[in-house]
Amino acid sequence: MLRTEFLFLERDSAPSVEEQTADYQRIATTLDGRPLIVRLLDIGGDKPAPYLPIAAEENPALGLRGIRVGLAHPEMLDAQLRAILAVRPAGQCRIMVPMIASLAELRAVRTALDAAAAATGHTEPVALGIMIETPAAAITADLLASEADFLSIGTNDLTQYALAMDRGNPAVASDLDGLHPAVLRLIARTCEGGAVHGKWTGVCGGLASDPLAVPILIGLGVTELSSAPALVPEIKALVATLTIDACRAHAAAAMSCISAADVRTLARSFRP
């Protein structure tokens, strides 16, 4: 997965279509045909860009960020979509939309993608997926999955919003834990919603790199994990030891716990 905001930060102007295309193409070529999931610009909040006129907000985590920025600046969204569509071979890139909270937002991005494809003569189908980072998206995952091609759970933000704790606030950040039973239940709801329409659900947040969390995530219905590169061998070796029945029973027990601490205690005693 490519987090494209790093192309937009620490500069005086947004990258051009040509500049973005060159960067995306370089990465795609290095992957040698393997799929590249390109997350649309996730900026705002704790990732400001000096050239974007976003007014100061009392609570940036609840303001103009994620896809809301792209929809507020359609020319920037169009440029990024055109750059992704220009990557060859066509179809290698899949597009993922951050901070979706409603089907209307997904439809707006789909309309922008269709317009960019028509303007550039792109005729190959492009997978358009969404990030589940808000409780609203998790609860309505079945509705979103009816039009999204895949779902990917960003557990860091989902945890922040589910527990109403700002992860940038040191007074509460230490209590943020994605293994809280409330977060696990939202993950389960997301997987169930995706399965209704035959769409896969992955995790690209911090939990995907947590060995204690992985068996629980698989038991909840997660089918793809986007782990930190250094941890991929460890996570792959762990997954190879698991059985789906054991993971499902473990996940059910975890959702019945009363706290994240209890879930972690349970997880440490799990034996596949």
Side-chain angles (χ1 to χ4, degrees):
M1 187 190 79
L2 175 61
R3 303 171 185 267
T4 61
E5 60 267 21
F6 298 115
L7 304 177
F8 289 76
L9 299 175
E10 298 182 2
R11 53 186 298 152
D12 297 327
S13 61
S16 66
V17 173
E18 294 74 20
E19 185 179 352
Q20 291 185 63
T21 299
D23 286 331
Y24 303 151
Q25 184 65 65
R26 190 177 303 114
I27 296 168
T29 301
T30 301
L31 289 176
D32 194 25
R34 292 186 292 274
L36 173 61
I37 297 178
V38 182
R39 186 174 74 177
L40 295 178
L41 180 62
D42 186 6
I43 208 167
D46 59 347
K47 292 174 289 201
Y51 51 85
L52 275 181
I54 299 178
E57 299 173 298
E58 184 174 346
N59 192 336
L62 300 180
L64 199 61
R65 58 169 302 192
I67 193 55
R68 297 169 186 170
V69 175
L71 295 175
H73 298 275
E75 72 291 342
M76 184 176 295
L77 175 61
D78 178 66
Q80 186 167 35
L81 292 172
R82 288 175 183 242
I84 296 169
L85 293 174
V87 173
R88 295 294 178 267
Q92 182 179 0
C93 288
R94 302 168 186 178
I95 298 173
M96 186 162 69
V97 188
M99 280 293 292
I100 283 288
S102 71
L103 189 55
E105 291 171 332
L106 174 58
R107 287 175 174 173
V109 176
R110 178 78 71 180
T111 297
L113 176 59
D114 290 345
T120 58
H122 187 94
T123 58
E124 296 289 329
V126 181
L128 182 64
I130 59 173
M131 288 195 71
I132 305 293
E133 300 171 276
T134 66
I139 293 297
T140 60
D142 58 325
L143 301 179
L144 293 166
S146 68
E147 299 187 22
D149 295 311
F150 62 89
L151 312 177
S152 187
I153 302 169
T155 54
N156 299 344
D157 270 329
L158 182 61
T159 300
Q160 170 179 241
Y161 294 127
L163 301 184
M165 293 181 179
D166 183 352
R167 56 182 176 151
N169 184 337
V172 297
S174 61
D175 293 323
L176 277 170
D177 192 332
L179 286 182
H180 190 289
V183 179
L184 297 182
R185 293 183 183 212
L186 288 172
I187 294 172
R189 182 70 172 264
T190 301
C191 294
E192 292 165 2
V196 168
H197 299 282
K199 307 297 173 61
W200 62 263
T201 299
V203 168
C204 60
L207 284 188
S209 299
D210 184 344
L212 291 180
V214 166
I216 297 173
L217 294 176
I218 292 173
L220 293 174
V222 170
T223 53
E224 180 173 297
L225 300 170
S226 179
S227 301
L231 292 174
V232 168
E234 178 183 351
I235 299 300
K236 287 180 69 175
L238 170 60
V239 171
T241 69
L242 303 176
T243 65
I244 190 62
D245 289 340
C247 288
R248 285 172 177 162
H250 183 45
M255 285 194 292
S256 296
C257 290
I258 63 172
S259 68
D262 285 350
V263 173
R264 290 199 173 273
T265 297
L266 174 71
R268 282 189 285 269
S269 66
F270 175 69
R271 296 295 179 269

